[in-house]
Amino acid sequence: MRKTLLALALSIPAFANANLIKDGSFESPKLANHTWGVFQSAGDTWFTLAGAGIEIQRNVTGSAAAGNQFVELDSYNNSEMYQRVNTQKGQAYNLSFDFTARPNTSAQTNGLQAFWINTLGKNASADSIIKAANANSLIADLHPTAVSANTWQTFSQQVIGANYSFLVFKATGNSDSLGTYLDNVKLNKVTAPVPEPETYALMGIGLVGLFAARRRKAK
């Protein structure tokens, strides 16, 4: 019976599935309201690969998709940034992020690419990450249409982890300091579906039956 109860317990997936991306809503460094800044690193989690740097905005042309701040990678020019993620080799993950064209700009100036790199080691250099961000690791090539206000859309893709993985974002389109906004980056482990409440009820009934059977056998 103990083995049966253990099997039932192990069949219930964990409810917590933490976001493995650090500062996915770009809240660090915290800026004053209606201001922006360009940084070589953001919150010691996102790092510039190429270009002028990571531009973070706080309610400059509109609100964020999550939290209060978001990124525009065409800062002074088209730039790239990355984050190294501690993942498990062979494990599937759901990657998602929100994006919108910068309001009142042309479609030609907006463009954003995302790369998922699972072929490099923990201490990969910036040059090796740039080289690995190619057609083989490209997972998103977005060209949002022109909008008059922040109109957030969600991109989602399943990816496979390695011992260490690298997520790269790159601004494309006209390099003119105006480009696509990025926010709410998430990476969650793919797990078994959570049972419906009815399933838990049936499991509870089964456990009661097992206890009753055990008691009758003891008598």
Side-chain angles (χ1 to χ4, degrees):
M1 178 178 173
R2 289 180 180 176
K3 291 182 179 179
T4 303
L5 291 175
L6 178 60
L8 285 170
L10 292 176
S11 68
I12 304 174
F15 284 98
N17 190 357
N19 181 13
L20 297 181
I21 298 296
K22 298 177 180 178
D23 194 19
S25 61
F26 308 105
E27 304 304 312
S28 179
K30 183 178 179 180
L31 304 180
N33 203 25
H34 305 299
T35 65
W36 58 276
V38 177
F39 307 91
Q40 288 301 300
S41 65
D44 291 327
T45 56
W46 297 99
F47 299 93
T48 299
L49 273 175
I54 305 164
E55 179 176 330
I56 297 178
Q57 296 187 17
R58 188 181 183 93
N59 297 321
V60 175
T61 63
S63 59
N68 297 297
Q69 300 184 166
F70 54 85
V71 153
E72 181 182 33
L73 275 176
D74 190 348
S75 49
Y76 297 115
N77 53 30
N78 281 345
S79 301
E80 299 178 52
M81 70 177 184
Y82 79 96
Q83 182 173 141
R84 189 187 72 196
V85 191
N86 294 335
T87 52
Q88 298 175 14
K89 187 175 181 179
Q91 172 66 49
Y93 298 88
N94 284 322
L95 171 68
S96 66
F97 57 86
D98 294 342
F99 67 97
T100 178
R102 179 175 175 134
N104 303 312
T105 60
S106 67
Q108 290 73 26
T109 196
N110 286 281
L112 179 69
Q113 292 181 336
F115 303 84
W116 179 257
I117 301 169
N118 57 9
T119 56
L120 300 176
K122 177 180 179 180
N123 298 315
S125 66
D127 285 342
S128 65
I129 298 172
I130 291 173
K131 290 179 181 178
N134 54 40
N136 294 325
S137 59
L138 179 67
I139 58 172
D141 188 9
L142 306 173
H143 303 275
T145 56
V147 295
S148 59
N150 285 358
T151 307
W152 295 101
Q153 304 176 65
T154 299
F155 172 88
S156 181
Q157 173 76 42
Q158 189 172 111
V159 296
I160 302 299
N163 291 332
Y164 295 93
S165 302
F166 295 82
L167 176 60
V168 176
F169 288 104
K170 178 181 180 180
T172 61
N174 295 342
S175 183
D176 54 7
S177 79
L178 305 173
T180 304
Y181 290 163
L182 169 69
D183 199 9
N184 198 26
V185 186
K186 296 179 180 179
L187 183 72
N188 302 98
K189 183 184 293 187
V190 174
T191 59
V194 176
E196 297 293 332
E198 294 82 358
T199 304
Y200 284 117
L202 290 173
M203 291 174 64
I205 293 171
L207 289 173
V208 171
L210 286 171
F211 281 121
R214 177 79 176 190
R215 184 172 297 175
R216 285 195 300 271
K217 185 176 180 180
K219 290 181 178 179

